[in-house]
Amino acid sequence: MPLPKLPTKPATILLAKDYPRAEPGKTPVRATAKAENDPVEDLISGPAVPAPKATKPRKSKAALLAEAPAREDTPVAAPPTPPMPARGEKPAKPGKAKAEGAGAKLRESDMNEPHPAKHKPVEVNVKSQASRKADTSGTTKVFVLDTNVLMHDPTSLFRFEEHDVYLPMMTLEELDNHKKGMSEVARNARQVSRTLDALIANVDDDAIETGIPLAKLGNKDAKGRLHFQTRLNGAALPEGLPSGKADNQILGVVRALEAEQPGRAIVLVSKDINMRIKARALGLAAEDYFNDHVLEDTDLLYSGIVQLPDDFWTKHGKGVESWQEIKGGYSSTFYRITGPLIPTLLVNQFVYLEPKNGEAPLYAQVKQINGKTAVLQTLRDYSSNKNNVWGITARNREQNFALNLLMNPEVDFVSLLGQAGTGKTLLALAAGLAQVLETKVYNEIIVTRVTVPVGEDIGFLPGTEEEKMSPWMGAFDDNLEVLMKGDGDAGDWGRAATQDLIRSRIKIKSLNFMRGRTFVNKFLIIDEAQNLTPKQMKTLVTRAGPGTKILCLGNIAQIDTPYLTEGSSGLTYVVDRFKGWGHGGHVTLARGERSRLADHASDVL
């Protein structure tokens, strides 16, 4: 089952209540679901709904999922906190708010406010019934692997902990058919074949029949055994299913295993949705391969921004220390703060506080954390014209946070995530040109992206490497036109010279030739990074040499690579793994700034 999609309205700014709020002693969100008897928080991100009393029968997750679409008009999460009363009005009584309940109609003001999480479809990766029973009883399972799982993740053999892995003969046959070529799939197929060869080396025939320990090659987490199909199965498939098709033969193997081992859970693992549908239609347990998913729900993805509570200074203002330092010609104020919210923060995370009582707002970045003590540094205001970056100023709060990361030479890795029109490419190019041509921190801008077409491919492109990549770089050409306007008094000759200078410092490279390279003092921009697998992302990020800064730009709601979802994308992978690192940072851009036409089209289309 695919992961839930991100909200489809990129042109609305997030409300203050939509950002994760730090609370004493608890993290902003729960990352994983627990047992089946957990509250409804397992199904939807948000506040937990208390479990009913023991006298009433409990409903299973499957029943809750079946009922969820019929209750779209009723918010499942706890009702939002009532707004602050206007001056002169009396605050509402707590009893009255309780009496309204979940069945009351939404106020018109609530309906007009953007709240993408309120009507989000409830989608969860639910295990099969046989798998849940085995988890409850504590018995080990047998996972029958489809070929696409092995070709998607060559190390999937060792990802099933104490459970056994079974490989049908047809899976080995399909691996042999896909081993030729230079594609990623062919390389993975060859790697799986080498792994299987190492596992069966120096093994007796009896051991192949009883199972080969998966920990033989040093993978201590894999405590199960590897079984091969050593004889033909006699399980008959329903009439009408052609027996010559590979998928149907694997389904026959699963049915035969259920007959041979009646008391054990036999689960088919496949990345093919239709294969899983056919298996469930035949009464067989089938699941997707979840190990490559960084997160179960992309709403739990690290946003890099936290809104501080209104009583932040009340609880954290005692004993606060402040001082000023001048770095790079800019004076920054530092605060050393101690309090209960500090353990929930991460290094290089942005925090902000916008009081409603007329006090000055706080926009800062966490620089150090030591227990319950943190050091916050105020930000440079890039929304002001005097701090413009190559003529570009920040138009909203998130863009200001992003420019503080892009212009900081101490930050080596930056990831920007956002919908179309939020300014990812423009901010990255402006920061790159300013640091290459003005401050000369880097000597060159290198731009690359995955060449995955949206529609049908138009075939091979003529020319050199840069000429072949130029059609894929239309987004950068559009942004360069904005950045190369320059001074209107320079004349045609001056503008032409400026364009030649800028073009000479920007190189467009293909991902196919990145292995083995090392970039020194480069400003490397990886566009459309959501189409990269975690393995490809690791290959690219490890190309960085001394003095190189890497930027990953993308929108995980627009993935074109097959078998890649929001939870398993390489962009999601690096955002989750780099959070909290002192030389990396991430910002999720929330508001579209392209044009009023684009904003309106995002809302109504």
Side-chain angles (χ1 to χ4, degrees):
M1 184 177 292
L3 288 172
K5 299 294 184 183
L6 286 177
T8 57
K9 293 189 177 182
T12 56
I13 188 168
L14 290 182
L15 299 178
K17 62 182 179 181
D18 292 337
Y19 281 99
R21 294 179 69 92
E23 297 181 10
K26 48 174 78 171
T27 54
V29 289
R30 286 182 56 178
T32 54
K34 293 183 180 178
E36 185 178 352
N37 292 330
D38 256 11
V40 187
E41 186 182 5
D42 292 350
L43 303 179
I44 304 178
S45 60
V49 179
K53 295 181 180 180
T55 56
K56 297 182 180 179
R58 296 295 302 271
K59 292 186 178 181
S60 64
K61 282 185 179 179
L64 288 171
L65 284 175
E67 293 178 4
R71 301 180 299 173
E72 286 185 357
D73 58 334
T74 304
V76 184
T81 306
M84 294 293 294
R87 188 172 297 177
E89 292 183 4
K90 294 182 179 180
K93 295 182 179 180
K96 186 175 180 181
K98 268 185 193 176
E100 290 179 1
K105 293 183 178 180
L106 292 173
R107 293 188 301 271
E108 187 176 356
S109 59
D110 292 339
M111 296 172 66
N112 294 332
E113 291 181 357
H115 200 306
K118 186 176 293 184
H119 303 289
K120 181 181 173 184
V122 182
E123 296 184 9
V124 219
N125 295 323
V126 181
K127 291 184 179 181
S128 59
Q129 184 177 0
S131 188
R132 291 199 302 271
K133 287 183 179 179
D135 291 340
T136 305
S137 61
T139 59
T140 59
K141 297 171 269 192
V142 176
F143 288 104
V144 182
L145 299 191
D146 194 6
T147 317
N148 48 46
V149 175
L150 295 171
M151 292 189 297
H152 177 74
D153 182 7
T155 63
S156 57
L157 288 170
F158 311 106
R159 305 292 188 186
F160 293 96
E161 298 176 342
E162 73 274 12
H163 307 290
D164 293 343
V165 175
Y166 188 95
L167 293 183
M169 197 57 65
M170 185 50 64
T171 297
L172 301 177
E173 190 72 22
E174 287 187 309
L175 275 177
D176 186 63
N177 294 336
H178 288 89
K179 69 181 181 181
K180 298 178 182 178
M182 299 299 295
S183 64
E184 188 76 17
V185 171
R187 281 193 288 269
N188 290 345
R190 290 193 293 269
Q191 184 176 340
V192 172
S193 299
R194 287 191 290 268
T195 302
L196 293 176
D197 182 56
L199 282 171
I200 65 173
N202 303 321
V203 169
D204 299 334
D205 294 340
D206 295 339
I208 293 180
E209 185 72 25
T210 58
I212 303 170
L214 287 167
K216 176 183 176 183
L217 301 181
N219 299 277
K220 297 180 180 179
D221 294 336
K223 302 175 183 177
R225 290 179 171 269
L226 173 64
H227 298 270
F228 291 95
Q229 181 184 357
T230 56
R231 57 184 179 273
L232 294 176
N233 62 81
L237 290 173
E239 294 183 5
L241 284 180
S243 58
K245 194 172 181 180
D247 289 356
N248 297 335
Q249 293 188 28
I250 295 176
L251 293 175
V253 170
V254 177
R255 175 168 281 189
L257 282 176
E258 285 189 342
E260 291 176 7
Q261 307 179 34
R264 201 169 182 193
I266 312 295
V267 182
L268 171 66
V269 181
S270 175
K271 298 291 291 182
D272 187 353
I273 297 176
N274 292 329
M275 177 83 159
R276 298 199 301 268
I277 293 174
K278 285 201 295 186
R280 298 300 294 269
L282 296 174
L284 306 175
E287 296 178 7
D288 191 6
Y289 178 65
F290 297 125
N291 190 268
D292 60 336
H293 289 193
V294 182
L295 296 172
E296 291 293 331
D297 190 345
T298 49
D299 280 351
L300 305 179
L301 185 62
Y302 173 65
S303 67
I305 305 170
V306 165
Q307 180 194 8
L308 298 176
D310 295 335
D311 59 350
F312 176 75
W313 289 118
T314 305
K315 295 184 178 181
H316 298 74
K318 296 180 181 178
V320 61
E321 303 177 28
S322 65
W323 68 94
Q324 287 190 340
E325 293 182 9
I326 298 178
K327 291 184 178 180
Y330 174 71
S331 177
S332 297
T333 304
F334 291 82
Y335 297 97
R336 181 174 283 110
I337 297 174
T338 303
L341 300 183
I342 303 305
T344 65
L345 302 178
L346 295 171
V347 176
N348 277 353
Q349 191 172 26
F350 292 98
V351 295
Y352 75 94
L353 176 61
E354 296 174 342
K356 300 177 182 178
N357 55 5
E359 295 180 0
L362 170 68
Y363 301 101
Q365 188 179 17
V366 181
K367 303 306 289 185
Q368 295 178 12
I369 292 181
N370 185 11
K372 290 189 176 183
T373 303
V375 175
L376 305 182
Q377 179 186 2
T378 58
L379 303 179
R380 189 172 185 179
D381 184 16
Y382 285 101
S383 61
S384 174
N385 284 326
K386 67 177 182 179
N387 295 328
N388 72 83
V389 179
W390 203 262
I392 299 298
T393 57
R395 292 191 179 183
N396 55 52
R397 180 176 55 227
E398 290 80 12
Q399 287 189 359
N400 189 35
F401 294 161
L403 283 174
N404 274 273
L405 285 177
L406 294 172
M407 299 301 294
N408 187 356
E410 297 297 323
V411 178
D412 300 330
F413 181 84
V414 178
S415 53
L416 297 181
L417 202 153
Q419 304 281 353
T422 50
K424 304 183 296 294
T425 307
L426 185 65
L427 295 177
L429 269 180
L433 291 174
Q435 295 175 91
V436 168
L437 296 175
E438 291 180 356
T439 59
K440 294 182 173 51
V441 178
Y442 311 101
N443 56 29
E444 199 174 44
I445 298 176
I446 295 179
V447 181
T448 184
R449 62 166 287 177
V450 192
T451 54
V452 179
V454 177
E456 294 185 7
D457 202 343
I458 62 173
F460 291 102
L461 299 171
T464 62
E465 178 187 358
E466 291 216 3
E467 291 172 346
K468 289 177 184 292
M469 289 295 296
S470 58
W472 299 98
M473 294 299 170
F476 281 90
D477 293 336
D478 298 339
N479 287 279
L480 275 178
E481 288 182 9
V482 177
L483 295 171
M484 289 192 303
K485 286 181 180 178
D487 187 6
D489 299 332
D492 294 339
W493 287 99
R495 283 193 295 270
T498 303
Q499 291 179 14
D500 291 342
L501 176 62
I502 291 177
R503 293 283 185 183
S504 67
R505 294 300 182 94
I506 298 178
K507 294 292 186 294
I508 300 173
K509 299 296 181 183
S510 172
L511 285 175
N512 301 333
F513 311 107
M514 288 294 182
R515 194 178 296 276
R517 298 198 60 179
T518 301
F519 298 113
V520 180
N521 292 331
K522 308 292 184 187
F523 194 84
L524 177 59
I525 301 175
I526 306 172
D527 195 23
E528 303 294 341
Q530 76 274 3
N531 288 321
L532 288 168
T533 65
K535 184 178 178 182
Q536 291 172 328
M537 185 64 76
K538 179 183 178 182
T539 302
L540 280 178
V541 177
T542 52
R543 300 304 99 209
T548 291
K549 186 167 194 159
I550 293 185
L551 275 67
C552 291
L553 318 177
N555 176 15
I556 57 175
Q558 297 178 349
I559 295 180
D560 303 313
T561 305
Y563 296 124
L564 213 57
T565 62
E566 292 94 330
S568 60
S569 168
L571 182 57
T572 308
Y573 180 70
V574 292
V575 169
D576 187 69
R577 295 301 175 94
F578 273 93
K579 65 182 181 183
W581 185 46
H583 299 283
H586 168 73
V587 171
T588 299
L589 300 173
R591 180 176 176 177
E593 297 288 354
R594 183 165 283 168
S595 68
R596 60 188 179 190
L597 172 60
D599 294 350
H600 182 66
S602 301
D603 288 337
V604 301
L605 297 181

